Amino acid sequence: HEVNDPSRDGSGGAVVREYSALLERLWVGEASTHKPAAFKATLSRFAPQFEGYRQHDAQELAVFLLDGLHEDLNRQRAAKPYVEDVELDRKGGECATVADMEE
């Protein structure tokens, strides 16, 4: 799998590589238990809210992890282009930009 190391929004591939290693140890490893300390350290490095051992919401972790995996695996190398927000015009159902609707 291609890792997008230069992505400015990602972790340089650190999160996806450590997550992959964790899954491999869990599914292929010989041990019946595993302490995910390396994964937690990597996670804490890029998401300081997960430092220490305070309790966190599982949804917070899932959002950060999925976003991190997405950014590290995203194939777009160049800066993301600006896309203007578009909404439906209330007058005729035609698409208009938000700026046009404010006029």
Side-chain angles (χ1 to χ4, degrees):
H1 301 287
E2 271 185 55
V3 176
N4 188 1
D5 292 325
S7 171
R8 67 178 178 83
D9 296 327
S11 67
V15 170
V16 74
R17 285 187 181 97
E18 195 56 52
Y19 184 67
S20 175
L22 173 65
L23 291 180
E24 187 173 339
R25 286 190 298 270
L26 289 172
W27 290 99
V28 180
E30 299 296 320
S32 60
T33 61
H34 179 72
K35 183 177 177 184
F39 175 70
K40 171 131 176 25
T42 301
L43 190 69
S44 297
R45 192 170 73 212
F46 295 99
Q49 69 267 28
F50 295 113
E51 286 180 343
Y53 294 95
R54 294 182 316 259
Q55 185 171 348
H56 290 283
D57 186 28
Q59 190 261 349
E60 263 184 271
L61 173 64
V63 166
F64 173 78
L65 183 58
L66 289 173
D67 187 50
L69 295 174
H70 169 76
E71 289 299 335
D72 283 351
L73 295 173
N74 189 354
R75 292 183 178 197
Q76 184 166 349
R77 302 278 186 199
K80 295 176 185 171
Y82 173 76
V83 178
E84 193 164 357
D85 195 12
V86 176
E87 291 188 13
L88 292 178
D89 188 351
R90 292 187 185 100
K91 296 176 184 172
E94 297 175 11
C95 288
T97 64
V98 173
D100 292 339
M101 291 177 66
E102 291 173 352
E103 293 177 356

